[in-house]
Structures are given as C-alpha cells and as structure tokens.
Amino acid sequence: LIDMKKTIFSALMLFLLSFAANAQIKTSRQYIPIDLDIKVKRCVVSGNQGYIDLVFTNHTGKPISNVIAMRKEPCADVLAIDETIVYDDEGGVYKPTYQGGISWISFGDGDAFNDGTTLPVDVPVKMRIEFQGISEFATEISMLNIALRNISSYHYGIGSVTFRNIPIYVVETE
C-alpha cells in the first residue's frame, strides 16, 4: 500500500511539474521555423543522474530528416551531438563525453547517434537527454541548448533552440 501511494504521489508530482514548468521556461530560437514546435516536458533527477524530456512536433508540411546536428569527433571514429549542452544552477556543465556529462540522447524510439532523427509531419516525437554527475543541490537547469540541422533555408539549415530555467523534479533513490 505504501509503495502504491509513493507511485501515485510521484506520478501526480510529475504531472503538476510538467504543467507548471512550461509557464516558467524561457525559450529562444535561432534559425528555427515557427512551424517546428519544441516543448520541454520535464526534467527528473535521481541521485546524480537525470534526464530532460522534450517533444518535437513538425508542422512544416514535409518530413525533416537528420534533424539532430552531429559531427565527427577529431581523432576518434565516433559521432557526437554538436553543441547540445546542459548547465545547472550549481555551475555544472554537461556535454556529450565518455567521462560523464550527457551520456545518452534518444530520439523517438531510437538512439540519436545511430538510428537517425526524422520528424514526420504533425506527429509528436519524444527526445530524451540523459546526463550524469549533477549536484544534489541543483534545483533547475539554467540553460539547455540543442543544435539542429536541416530545419530552415537560412544559415546552411543549421539552427539552435535554447531553454532556460527548467525546474528539476527530484526522485528519491532507495
């Protein structure tokens, strides 16, 4: 009974957080069409690991392929998400690395690094950014910047979206 109460309470808190969070979050866009809707749904942290869920909806009238900007790492045969970076209010900086920071980015039901990132028309697609090493004292994500490509006819099709003041919902670890 106690576990069910915790589960219901956690679900209710996540719902309320996602509802209240959208009212506080500031968004800025650079070279991104207004027809591409991007919303932060939630930021959840448990221990020193967390994730940010976003939803992309493409209202441009045509599918957009390879929307997440990737680049080849120098001196390595791996791809990295270009200019996707997270900052918390305790001074933590999280980038795609092998030593912590952003550890995983999924897009739709696949891995953004290997499975491609296509946005169909008028269909919400989930993006999750997982990160590690966050301070137990962090209360918000001060800034999240995501680099995108193939999204406009300006600036070589490359743009970015920045979100500020994303509240963190803390889930206690047992």
Side-chain angles (χ1 to χ4, degrees), residues 35-38 55-60 119-125:
D35 295 344
L36 183 58
D37 186 29
I38 307 168
V55 173
F56 288 65
T57 307
N58 171 16
H59 299 292
T60 64
L119 289 174
V121 176
D122 296 328
V123 176
V125 177

Side-chain angles (χ1 to χ4, degrees), residues 145-161:
N145 186 72
I146 303 170
L148 303 171
R149 68 177 184 184
N150 298 331
I151 44 90
S152 76
S153 57
Y154 304 103
H155 195 64
Y156 308 103
I158 297 171
S160 66
V161 61

